[in-house]
Amino acid sequence: MRIGIFSAKGGVGKTTFSINFASALIEFGKNPLLIDTDLNNSLSISLGLLNFTSSLSKVLNFETNVNNSIYITPSSLKVLPAGEEFLNFKNFELALNEINNFDYIIIDTEPGLNEKNLEIARLCNENFLITLPETTSIYALMRTINFFEKENIKISGVIVNRFNKRSIDPKEIFDVTGIPILAVLPEEQKISKSLMNGIPYVFLEPVSYTH
């Protein structure tokens, strides 16, 4: 199954969610692959993957095989890093079809509304939209929903991230968007510690109420 993670706005915790979602799947005995399609390589860097000779960009240019470009991070997550430049993103579907032996493929996208993210969404079985429970993020969420719906892209639901007692009620977010709320993740200070250590929070706090 392919799952795309999207947000029109940066800084909402999309990459952190992707990492911890994959980690939670491992805890449930599944074998996930994380694909980084953000050329800032934030996902790869967050997991301590700083040096790589192969990447998605090279796969798309037919310079290497996709299954030989998957790295195992120090926290045991499997990652296909983005690389430096996407010259031939039209080859992304071909690359996805060649990936073997994974239960889930989680695609962490770059922030924004563009043709690349539309193509990713079209190729996914499920598409999750990430938002913070505050006004500017919800405005960006509505832009994403309108962008996807205009192109008849399936939206599976919304993940409300960093919820606290001062936040907008998730029910209000549902009332505004009409999109199911899949999860409400509380604000958690220890996530910063996990990011600094390159360890997914799910592994750092395996019995936490946030997952």
mmCIF file with all atom_site columns, all heavy atoms in Angstrom, residues 40-58:
data_model
loop_
_atom_site.group_PDB
_atom_site.id
_atom_site.type_symbol
_atom_site.label_atom_id
_atom_site.label_alt_id
_atom_site.label_comp_id
_atom_site.label_asym_id
_atom_site.label_entity_id
_atom_site.label_seq_id
_atom_site.pdbx_PDB_ins_code
_atom_site.Cartn_x
_atom_site.Cartn_y
_atom_site.Cartn_z
_atom_site.occupancy
_atom_site.B_iso_or_equiv
_atom_site.pdbx_formal_charge
_atom_site.auth_seq_id
_atom_site.auth_comp_id
_atom_site.auth_asym_id
_atom_site.auth_atom_id
_atom_site.pdbx_PDB_model_num
ATOM 1   N N   . ASN A 1 40 ? 15.130 18.984 0.069   1.00 0.00 ? 40 ASN A N   1
ATOM 2   C CA  . ASN A 1 40 ? 15.867 19.385 1.269   1.00 0.00 ? 40 ASN A CA  1
ATOM 3   C C   . ASN A 1 40 ? 16.360 18.171 2.046   1.00 0.00 ? 40 ASN A C   1
ATOM 4   O O   . ASN A 1 40 ? 17.159 18.303 2.978   1.00 0.00 ? 40 ASN A O   1
ATOM 5   C CB  . ASN A 1 40 ? 14.983 20.245 2.178   1.00 0.00 ? 40 ASN A CB  1
ATOM 6   C CG  . ASN A 1 40 ? 14.738 21.619 1.597   1.00 0.00 ? 40 ASN A CG  1
ATOM 7   O OD1 . ASN A 1 40 ? 15.634 22.236 1.034   1.00 0.00 ? 40 ASN A OD1 1
ATOM 8   N ND2 . ASN A 1 40 ? 13.505 22.101 1.713   1.00 0.00 ? 40 ASN A ND2 1
ATOM 9   N N   . ASN A 1 41 ? 15.849 16.996 1.679   1.00 0.00 ? 41 ASN A N   1
ATOM 10  C CA  . ASN A 1 41 ? 16.252 15.738 2.321   1.00 0.00 ? 41 ASN A CA  1
ATOM 11  C C   . ASN A 1 41 ? 16.039 15.757 3.832   1.00 0.00 ? 41 ASN A C   1
ATOM 12  O O   . ASN A 1 41 ? 16.807 15.172 4.606   1.00 0.00 ? 41 ASN A O   1
ATOM 13  C CB  . ASN A 1 41 ? 17.710 15.408 1.989   1.00 0.00 ? 41 ASN A CB  1
ATOM 14  C CG  . ASN A 1 41 ? 17.908 15.020 0.535   1.00 0.00 ? 41 ASN A CG  1
ATOM 15  O OD1 . ASN A 1 41 ? 17.591 13.917 0.121   1.00 0.00 ? 41 ASN A OD1 1
ATOM 16  N ND2 . ASN A 1 41 ? 18.401 15.956 -0.261  1.00 0.00 ? 41 ASN A ND2 1
ATOM 17  N N   . SER A 1 42 ? 14.966 16.439 4.268   1.00 0.00 ? 42 SER A N   1
ATOM 18  C CA  . SER A 1 42 ? 14.717 16.598 5.705   1.00 0.00 ? 42 SER A CA  1
ATOM 19  C C   . SER A 1 42 ? 14.491 15.260 6.393   1.00 0.00 ? 42 SER A C   1
ATOM 20  O O   . SER A 1 42 ? 14.967 15.045 7.519   1.00 0.00 ? 42 SER A O   1
ATOM 21  C CB  . SER A 1 42 ? 13.496 17.506 5.915   1.00 0.00 ? 42 SER A CB  1
ATOM 22  O OG  . SER A 1 42 ? 13.723 18.779 5.362   1.00 0.00 ? 42 SER A OG  1
ATOM 23  N N   . LEU A 1 43 ? 13.758 14.375 5.734   1.00 0.00 ? 43 LEU A N   1
ATOM 24  C CA  . LEU A 1 43 ? 13.468 13.079 6.345   1.00 0.00 ? 43 LEU A CA  1
ATOM 25  C C   . LEU A 1 43 ? 14.754 12.286 6.553   1.00 0.00 ? 43 LEU A C   1
ATOM 26  O O   . LEU A 1 43 ? 15.008 11.755 7.637   1.00 0.00 ? 43 LEU A O   1
ATOM 27  C CB  . LEU A 1 43 ? 12.476 12.302 5.463   1.00 0.00 ? 43 LEU A CB  1
ATOM 28  C CG  . LEU A 1 43 ? 11.973 10.967 6.005   1.00 0.00 ? 43 LEU A CG  1
ATOM 29  C CD1 . LEU A 1 43 ? 10.552 10.714 5.539   1.00 0.00 ? 43 LEU A CD1 1
ATOM 30  C CD2 . LEU A 1 43 ? 12.860 9.818  5.543   1.00 0.00 ? 43 LEU A CD2 1
ATOM 31  N N   . SER A 1 44 ? 15.569 12.233 5.526   1.00 0.00 ? 44 SER A N   1
ATOM 32  C CA  . SER A 1 44 ? 16.811 11.465 5.602   1.00 0.00 ? 44 SER A CA  1
ATOM 33  C C   . SER A 1 44 ? 17.730 12.033 6.677   1.00 0.00 ? 44 SER A C   1
ATOM 34  O O   . SER A 1 44 ? 18.295 11.294 7.493   1.00 0.00 ? 44 SER A O   1
ATOM 35  C CB  . SER A 1 44 ? 17.508 11.486 4.243   1.00 0.00 ? 44 SER A CB  1
ATOM 36  O OG  . SER A 1 44 ? 16.626 11.066 3.220   1.00 0.00 ? 44 SER A OG  1
ATOM 37  N N   . ILE A 1 45 ? 17.868 13.361 6.700   1.00 0.00 ? 45 ILE A N   1
ATOM 38  C CA  . ILE A 1 45 ? 18.734 14.011 7.679   1.00 0.00 ? 45 ILE A CA  1
ATOM 39  C C   . ILE A 1 45 ? 18.221 13.778 9.094   1.00 0.00 ? 45 ILE A C   1
ATOM 40  O O   . ILE A 1 45 ? 19.001 13.527 10.026  1.00 0.00 ? 45 ILE A O   1
ATOM 41  C CB  . ILE A 1 45 ? 18.859 15.507 7.363   1.00 0.00 ? 45 ILE A CB  1
ATOM 42  C CG1 . ILE A 1 45 ? 19.616 15.708 6.046   1.00 0.00 ? 45 ILE A CG1 1
ATOM 43  C CG2 . ILE A 1 45 ? 19.564 16.250 8.500   1.00 0.00 ? 45 ILE A CG2 1
ATOM 44  C CD1 . ILE A 1 45 ? 19.570 17.118 5.507   1.00 0.00 ? 45 ILE A CD1 1
ATOM 45  N N   . SER A 1 46 ? 16.889 13.854 9.272   1.00 0.00 ? 46 SER A N   1
ATOM 46  C CA  . SER A 1 46 ? 16.304 13.646 10.598  1.00 0.00 ? 46 SER A CA  1
ATOM 47  C C   . SER A 1 46 ? 16.619 12.272 11.159  1.00 0.00 ? 46 SER A C   1
ATOM 48  O O   . SER A 1 46 ? 16.669 12.081 12.376  1.00 0.00 ? 46 SER A O   1
ATOM 49  C CB  . SER A 1 46 ? 14.784 13.839 10.539  1.00 0.00 ? 46 SER A CB  1
ATOM 50  O OG  . SER A 1 46 ? 14.446 15.160 10.207  1.00 0.00 ? 46 SER A OG  1
ATOM 51  N N   . LEU A 1 47 ? 16.833 11.310 10.277  1.00 0.00 ? 47 LEU A N   1
ATOM 52  C CA  . LEU A 1 47 ? 17.113 9.940  10.692  1.00 0.00 ? 47 LEU A CA  1
ATOM 53  C C   . LEU A 1 47 ? 18.606 9.625  10.692  1.00 0.00 ? 47 LEU A C   1
ATOM 54  O O   . LEU A 1 47 ? 19.002 8.467  10.830  1.00 0.00 ? 47 LEU A O   1
ATOM 55  C CB  . LEU A 1 47 ? 16.363 8.961  9.788   1.00 0.00 ? 47 LEU A CB  1
ATOM 56  C CG  . LEU A 1 47 ? 14.844 8.951  9.985   1.00 0.00 ? 47 LEU A CG  1
ATOM 57  C CD1 . LEU A 1 47 ? 14.167 8.159  8.873   1.00 0.00 ? 47 LEU A CD1 1
ATOM 58  C CD2 . LEU A 1 47 ? 14.478 8.370  11.341  1.00 0.00 ? 47 LEU A CD2 1
ATOM 59  N N   . GLY A 1 48 ? 19.434 10.661 10.548  1.00 0.00 ? 48 GLY A N   1
ATOM 60  C CA  . GLY A 1 48 ? 20.873 10.453 10.615  1.00 0.00 ? 48 GLY A CA  1
ATOM 61  C C   . GLY A 1 48 ? 21.499 9.958  9.330   1.00 0.00 ? 48 GLY A C   1
ATOM 62  O O   . GLY A 1 48 ? 22.659 9.553  9.308   1.00 0.00 ? 48 GLY A O   1
ATOM 63  N N   . LEU A 1 49 ? 20.722 9.999  8.239   1.00 0.00 ? 49 LEU A N   1
ATOM 64  C CA  . LEU A 1 49 ? 21.246 9.553  6.948   1.00 0.00 ? 49 LEU A CA  1
ATOM 65  C C   . LEU A 1 49 ? 21.821 10.774 6.223   1.00 0.00 ? 49 LEU A C   1
ATOM 66  O O   . LEU A 1 49 ? 21.126 11.485 5.497   1.00 0.00 ? 49 LEU A O   1
ATOM 67  C CB  . LEU A 1 49 ? 20.127 8.911  6.125   1.00 0.00 ? 49 LEU A CB  1
ATOM 68  C CG  . LEU A 1 49 ? 20.497 8.281  4.787   1.00 0.00 ? 49 LEU A CG  1
ATOM 69  C CD1 . LEU A 1 49 ? 21.554 7.200  4.964   1.00 0.00 ? 49 LEU A CD1 1
ATOM 70  C CD2 . LEU A 1 49 ? 19.258 7.696  4.121   1.00 0.00 ? 49 LEU A CD2 1
ATOM 71  N N   . LEU A 1 50 ? 23.111 11.012 6.453   1.00 0.00 ? 50 LEU A N   1
ATOM 72  C CA  . LEU A 1 50 ? 23.739 12.249 5.975   1.00 0.00 ? 50 LEU A CA  1
ATOM 73  C C   . LEU A 1 50 ? 24.531 12.054 4.688   1.00 0.00 ? 50 LEU A C   1
ATOM 74  O O   . LEU A 1 50 ? 24.673 12.988 3.900   1.00 0.00 ? 50 LEU A O   1
ATOM 75  C CB  . LEU A 1 50 ? 24.676 12.806 7.060   1.00 0.00 ? 50 LEU A CB  1
ATOM 76  C CG  . LEU A 1 50 ? 24.031 13.036 8.432   1.00 0.00 ? 50 LEU A CG  1
ATOM 77  C CD1 . LEU A 1 50 ? 25.068 13.560 9.415   1.00 0.00 ? 50 LEU A CD1 1
ATOM 78  C CD2 . LEU A 1 50 ? 22.854 13.993 8.329   1.00 0.00 ? 50 LEU A CD2 1
ATOM 79  N N   . ASN A 1 51 ? 25.020 10.870 4.465   1.00 0.00 ? 51 ASN A N   1
ATOM 80  C CA  . ASN A 1 51 ? 25.828 10.597 3.281   1.00 0.00 ? 51 ASN A CA  1
ATOM 81  C C   . ASN A 1 51 ? 25.238 9.418  2.516   1.00 0.00 ? 51 ASN A C   1
ATOM 82  O O   . ASN A 1 51 ? 25.083 8.330  3.064   1.00 0.00 ? 51 ASN A O   1
ATOM 83  C CB  . ASN A 1 51 ? 27.274 10.272 3.683   1.00 0.00 ? 51 ASN A CB  1
ATOM 84  C CG  . ASN A 1 51 ? 27.939 11.422 4.407   1.00 0.00 ? 51 ASN A CG  1
ATOM 85  O OD1 . ASN A 1 51 ? 28.018 12.522 3.873   1.00 0.00 ? 51 ASN A OD1 1
ATOM 86  N ND2 . ASN A 1 51 ? 28.400 11.177 5.625   1.00 0.00 ? 51 ASN A ND2 1
ATOM 87  N N   . PHE A 1 52 ? 24.895 9.654  1.272   1.00 0.00 ? 52 PHE A N   1
ATOM 88  C CA  . PHE A 1 52 ? 24.383 8.559  0.437   1.00 0.00 ? 52 PHE A CA  1
ATOM 89  C C   . PHE A 1 52 ? 24.837 8.785  -1.002  1.00 0.00 ? 52 PHE A C   1
ATOM 90  O O   . PHE A 1 52 ? 24.850 9.899  -1.513  1.00 0.00 ? 52 PHE A O   1
ATOM 91  C CB  . PHE A 1 52 ? 22.857 8.459  0.529   1.00 0.00 ? 52 PHE A CB  1
ATOM 92  C CG  . PHE A 1 52 ? 22.126 9.781  0.498   1.00 0.00 ? 52 PHE A CG  1
ATOM 93  C CD1 . PHE A 1 52 ? 21.786 10.381 -0.698  1.00 0.00 ? 52 PHE A CD1 1
ATOM 94  C CD2 . PHE A 1 52 ? 21.790 10.416 1.684   1.00 0.00 ? 52 PHE A CD2 1
ATOM 95  C CE1 . PHE A 1 52 ? 21.117 11.585 -0.724  1.00 0.00 ? 52 PHE A CE1 1
ATOM 96  C CE2 . PHE A 1 52 ? 21.115 11.632 1.670   1.00 0.00 ? 52 PHE A CE2 1
ATOM 97  C CZ  . PHE A 1 52 ? 20.773 12.222 0.457   1.00 0.00 ? 52 PHE A CZ  1
ATOM 98  N N   . THR A 1 53 ? 25.243 7.711  -1.625  1.00 0.00 ? 53 THR A N   1
ATOM 99  C CA  . THR A 1 53 ? 25.737 7.785  -3.000  1.00 0.00 ? 53 THR A CA  1
ATOM 100 C C   . THR A 1 53 ? 24.639 7.564  -4.019  1.00 0.00 ? 53 THR A C   1
ATOM 101 O O   . THR A 1 53 ? 24.786 7.923  -5.184  1.00 0.00 ? 53 THR A O   1
ATOM 102 C CB  . THR A 1 53 ? 26.853 6.749  -3.227  1.00 0.00 ? 53 THR A CB  1
ATOM 103 O OG1 . THR A 1 53 ? 26.340 5.445  -2.914  1.00 0.00 ? 53 THR A OG1 1
ATOM 104 C CG2 . THR A 1 53 ? 28.047 7.041  -2.325  1.00 0.00 ? 53 THR A CG2 1
ATOM 105 N N   . SER A 1 54 ? 23.532 6.955  -3.590  1.00 0.00 ? 54 SER A N   1
ATOM 106 C CA  . SER A 1 54 ? 22.408 6.713  -4.478  1.00 0.00 ? 54 SER A CA  1
ATOM 107 C C   . SER A 1 54 ? 21.165 7.362  -3.886  1.00 0.00 ? 54 SER A C   1
ATOM 108 O O   . SER A 1 54 ? 21.096 7.625  -2.680  1.00 0.00 ? 54 SER A O   1
ATOM 109 C CB  . SER A 1 54 ? 22.183 5.215  -4.666  1.00 0.00 ? 54 SER A CB  1
ATOM 110 O OG  . SER A 1 54 ? 21.253 4.995  -5.707  1.00 0.00 ? 54 SER A OG  1
ATOM 111 N N   . SER A 1 55 ? 20.183 7.633  -4.721  1.00 0.00 ? 55 SER A N   1
ATOM 112 C CA  . SER A 1 55 ? 19.016 8.386  -4.271  1.00 0.00 ? 55 SER A CA  1
ATOM 113 C C   . SER A 1 55 ? 17.888 8.265  -5.281  1.00 0.00 ? 55 SER A C   1
ATOM 114 O O   . SER A 1 55 ? 18.075 7.729  -6.386  1.00 0.00 ? 55 SER A O   1
ATOM 115 C CB  . SER A 1 55 ? 19.376 9.865  -4.101  1.00 0.00 ? 55 SER A CB  1
ATOM 116 O OG  . SER A 1 55 ? 19.749 10.412 -5.361  1.00 0.00 ? 55 SER A OG  1
ATOM 117 N N   . LEU A 1 56 ? 16.721 8.787  -4.914  1.00 0.00 ? 56 LEU A N   1
ATOM 118 C CA  . LEU A 1 56 ? 15.576 8.781  -5.825  1.00 0.00 ? 56 LEU A CA  1
ATOM 119 C C   . LEU A 1 56 ? 15.896 9.553  -7.100  1.00 0.00 ? 56 LEU A C   1
ATOM 120 O O   . LEU A 1 56 ? 15.501 9.141  -8.197  1.00 0.00 ? 56 LEU A O   1
ATOM 121 C CB  . LEU A 1 56 ? 14.358 9.384  -5.121  1.00 0.00 ? 56 LEU A CB  1
ATOM 122 C CG  . LEU A 1 56 ? 13.085 9.515  -5.961  1.00 0.00 ? 56 LEU A CG  1
ATOM 123 C CD1 . LEU A 1 56 ? 12.612 8.163  -6.474  1.00 0.00 ? 56 LEU A CD1 1
ATOM 124 C CD2 . LEU A 1 56 ? 11.976 10.189 -5.155  1.00 0.00 ? 56 LEU A CD2 1
ATOM 125 N N   . SER A 1 57 ? 16.580 10.665 -6.972  1.00 0.00 ? 57 SER A N   1
ATOM 126 C CA  . SER A 1 57 ? 16.898 11.456 -8.166  1.00 0.00 ? 57 SER A CA  1
ATOM 127 C C   . SER A 1 57 ? 17.715 10.646 -9.166  1.00 0.00 ? 57 SER A C   1
ATOM 128 O O   . SER A 1 57 ? 17.488 10.707 -10.379 1.00 0.00 ? 57 SER A O   1
ATOM 129 C CB  . SER A 1 57 ? 17.622 12.749 -7.781  1.00 0.00 ? 57 SER A CB  1
ATOM 130 O OG  . SER A 1 57 ? 18.813 12.481 -7.081  1.00 0.00 ? 57 SER A OG  1
ATOM 131 N N   . LYS A 1 58 ? 18.655 9.837  -8.668  1.00 0.00 ? 58 LYS A N   1
ATOM 132 C CA  . LYS A 1 58 ? 19.454 9.006  -9.574  1.00 0.00 ? 58 LYS A CA  1
ATOM 133 C C   . LYS A 1 58 ? 18.634 7.859  -10.152 1.00 0.00 ? 58 LYS A C   1
ATOM 134 O O   . LYS A 1 58 ? 18.835 7.460  -11.298 1.00 0.00 ? 58 LYS A O   1
ATOM 135 C CB  . LYS A 1 58 ? 20.686 8.479  -8.844  1.00 0.00 ? 58 LYS A CB  1
ATOM 136 C CG  . LYS A 1 58 ? 21.704 9.574  -8.531  1.00 0.00 ? 58 LYS A CG  1
ATOM 137 C CD  . LYS A 1 58 ? 22.995 9.000  -7.978  1.00 0.00 ? 58 LYS A CD  1
ATOM 138 C CE  . LYS A 1 58 ? 24.016 10.112 -7.769  1.00 0.00 ? 58 LYS A CE  1
ATOM 139 N NZ  . LYS A 1 58 ? 25.308 9.595  -7.267  1.00 0.00 ? 58 LYS A NZ  1
#
